[in-house]
């Protein structure tokens, strides 16, 4: 059977992580968050983690080749999976091109990209709220600002990249969590 590979796309704080976890559970897919992979490397103090730590704490983006190299290792370890829910990757056009490059990711086809659309003010207030709960080192007001700016400058162009390839579906991320999940399930059930 063909793998089902979904990219969850949205600003930091759009709810993509929450939804990705629920989707993975409901459909038996593997949730892959590059942010979680980096945090794991950092807590294990690996060379990759040490390299990424400062960039992440400043709200920047880790270089594409490092990020996708780490992702490739992870996917290779879970090659038998029914499919993947990508959360936080790709974040640049270059990353999307690398994911589509069959010499780097043989057999990987992105089935759909689900865009959780949330307004900019809502995004800022959601991540600052999350910062108080999770105490993430990269959730200070300055880094939140940098991450949101990076999202609009570097990640938003992916909307055009995937819509021109007929892969993008947009969902209103301002609705409550249950309604967003129900909209997502309707899309996945047609695939
Ligand atoms: P996240 O948990 O997805 O918000 O990711 C936390 C941080 O990890 C981001 O702010 C980036 O610094 C870094 N990061 C995660 N995914 C990527 C990616 N695909 N490309 C570059 N940096 C990433």
């Amino acid at each position: 059977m063909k793998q089902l590979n979904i990219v969850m796309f949205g600003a930091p704080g759009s709810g993509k992580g929450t939804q990705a976890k629920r989707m993975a559970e409901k459909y038996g897919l593997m949730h892959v968050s590059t942010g979680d992979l980096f945090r794991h490397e950092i807590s294990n103090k690996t060379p990759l983690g040490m390299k990424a730590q400062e960039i992440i704490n400043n709200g920047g983006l880790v270089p594409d080749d490092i990020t996708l190299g780490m992702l490739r290792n992870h996917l290779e370890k879970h090659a038998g999976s029914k499919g993947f829910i990508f959360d936080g990757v790709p974040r640049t056009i270059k990353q999307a091109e690398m994911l589509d490059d069959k010499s780097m990711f043989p057999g990987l086809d992105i089935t759909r990209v689900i865009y959780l659309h949330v307004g900019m003010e809502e995004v800022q207030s959601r991540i600052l709220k999350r910062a108080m709960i999770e105490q993430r080192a990269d959730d200070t007001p300055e880094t939140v600002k940098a991450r949101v700016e990076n999202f609009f400058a570097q990640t938003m162009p992916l909307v055009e990249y995937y819509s021109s390839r007929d892969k993008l579906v947009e969902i209103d991320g301002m609705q409550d969590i249950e309604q967003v999940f129900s909209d997502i399930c309707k899309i996945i059930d047609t695939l």
Side-chain angles (χ1 to χ4, degrees):
M1 219 181 82
K2 221 171 142 31
Q3 266 190 344
L4 188 63
N5 296 312
I6 310 285
V7 171
M8 291 306 286
F9 181 86
S14 60
K16 56 187 191 315
T18 307
Q19 298 294 343
K21 285 190 197 104
R22 298 183 66 168
M23 292 155 71
E25 195 179 327
K26 174 161 178 181
Y27 294 99
L29 304 170
M30 176 131 211
H31 174 214
V32 180
S33 151
T34 40
D36 285 348
L37 294 179
F38 281 128
R39 283 183 283 276
H40 183 76
E41 298 284 335
I42 291 170
S43 68
N44 287 331
K45 299 200 164 45
T46 65
L48 193 153
M50 309 298 255
K51 230 186 265 173
Q53 185 165 32
E54 199 185 327
I55 302 172
I56 292 176
N57 286 350
N58 290 326
L61 288 181
V62 180
D64 296 329
D65 52 339
I66 297 182
T67 304
L68 281 255
M70 174 182 73
L71 179 68
R72 183 161 72 164
N73 283 340
H74 187 74
L75 298 193
E76 276 169 2
K77 280 191 214 136
H78 300 280
S81 167
K82 264 173 73 180
F84 298 101
I85 315 265
F86 295 105
D87 165 11
V89 68
R91 257 178 159 99
T92 63
I93 294 276
K94 181 73 195 157
Q95 290 183 13
E97 287 170 351
M98 288 165 97
L99 266 186
D100 284 342
D101 179 350
K102 293 288 172 272
S103 67
M104 250 195 112
F105 293 92
L108 185 78
D109 273 313
I110 302 298
T111 320
R112 279 289 181 285
V113 177
I114 298 180
Y115 174 22
L116 292 186
H117 196 169
V118 173
M120 189 156 173
E121 277 172 26
E122 174 75 9
V123 161
Q124 307 240 18
S125 90
R126 283 191 196 182
I127 2 188
L128 287 171
K129 236 181 256 164
R130 183 175 72 188
M132 290 196 274
I133 299 165
E134 291 181 8
Q135 307 273 311
R136 260 172 60 162
D138 62 343
D139 268 348
T140 64
E142 297 76 38
T143 54
V144 165
K145 190 164 170 280
R147 279 159 58 214
V148 172
E149 280 170 7
N150 274 331
F151 173 77
F152 284 98
Q154 309 215 49
T155 310
M156 264 316 255
L158 287 172
V159 167
E160 169 56 27
Y161 182 92
Y162 285 119
S163 67
S164 68
R165 286 163 177 76
D166 276 335
K167 303 231 160 151
L168 195 86
V169 201
E170 187 174 319
I171 285 181
D172 177 5
M174 303 286 273
Q175 310 173 91
D176 68 54
I177 293 182
E178 292 306 325
Q179 189 55 49
V180 172
F181 189 59
S182 145
D183 285 4
I184 292 173
C185 293
K186 273 186 215 142
I187 294 165
I188 298 188
D189 291 340
T190 64
L191 298 173

